[in-house]
Amino acid sequence: MDKTFPNAKEALQDVITDGATIAVGGFGLCGIPEALIDALRDTNASDLTCISNNAGVDGFGLGVLLESKQVKKMISSYVGENKEFERQYLSGELEVELTPQGTLAEKLRATGAGIAAFYTRTGVGTKVAEGKETRVFGEHEYLLEHAFEHVDVALVKAWKADRSGNLIFRKTARNFNPDCAMAGKITIAEVEEIVEIGDIDPDEVHLSGIYVQRLVVNTHPEKRIEQRTTRSGE
């Protein structure tokens, strides 16, 4: 089955609604599906809940959805590089659910694997644990974390795909993208290259095409760096 769509706009058609919960892959600015995010902005869908490790930066990534006021709630681990995010949160315009990074990844994985909840030591004794069930196993206390009830759409970024949606990720981009893809009821993957079915060695596939419903090519991906640090000349 060929899952390729001609562009990001058509790939999002008929799947984005007001109030949708959307999981967006990537780690910092690495591996974010920027073309799909820009197309999502152009749908004008509102009251979105976005699940993502980070909230992008001003003017790029999920930052564009914050600027267009389309996001009602962010569920994130790291949000420190976005001034508009900070402004909206402090002014009460934006709901925020801060989640430890490993817990966020496991909540997404559990959602995709059909696991309702899991125990973790992360967050015990902190504000993260307030209102949540805890239980002692052995010598340690654990916190019960629930999978997401639903993720309507997942937007992910991969390096290469075949036409049936089998994906290969590169390096840091492998963080969060596979977990988001597994969690989504409908998963749309933005990739740099699509090859014919059979051209990818099965041993090289990082995520099976059964988790991917739509594919779109971005032949000119932006690969920005959040904080560039260089050594002064000597």
Side-chain angles (χ1 to χ4, degrees), residues 65-79:
L65 299 183
L66 291 164
E67 289 178 357
S68 57
K69 309 287 183 63
Q70 291 171 265
V71 181
K72 176 184 177 182
K73 180 178 181 179
M74 282 293 310
I75 302 174
S76 295
S77 170
Y78 178 69
V79 295

Side-chain angles (χ1 to χ4, degrees), residues 142-181:
Y142 290 76
L143 181 65
L144 182 65
E145 293 280 3
H146 292 261
F148 295 111
E149 292 185 4
H150 65 273
V151 176
D152 298 303
V153 181
L155 306 180
V156 302
K157 175 79 166 289
W159 172 53
K160 182 185 289 187
D162 65 19
R163 293 187 180 278
S164 61
N166 294 301
L167 302 182
I168 298 176
F169 302 93
R170 278 183 60 82
K171 303 183 183 297
T172 309
R174 199 169 172 182
N175 288 300
F176 281 97
N177 273 306
D179 293 329
C180 286

Side-chain angles (χ1 to χ4, degrees), residues 9-20:
K9 178 182 178 180
E10 294 191 37
L12 290 177
Q13 197 166 25
D14 302 328
V15 299
I16 302 296
T17 59
D18 292 346

Side-chain angles (χ1 to χ4, degrees), residues 58 63 65-71 79-96:
D58 295 290
L65 299 183
L66 291 164
E67 289 178 357
S68 57
K69 309 287 183 63
Q70 291 171 265
V71 181
V79 295
E81 302 291 342
N82 193 313
K83 294 293 185 185
E84 178 61 14
F85 175 98
E86 179 183 353
R87 188 199 66 75
Q88 290 187 20
Y89 174 59
L90 293 177
S91 66
E93 298 176 30
L94 179 69
E95 297 177 39
V96 177

Side-chain angles (χ1 to χ4, degrees), residues 44-62:
N44 294 317
S46 61
D47 297 326
L48 301 175
T49 293
C50 290
I51 304 168
S52 179
N53 182 53
N54 69 298
V57 296
D58 295 290
F60 189 66
L62 288 179

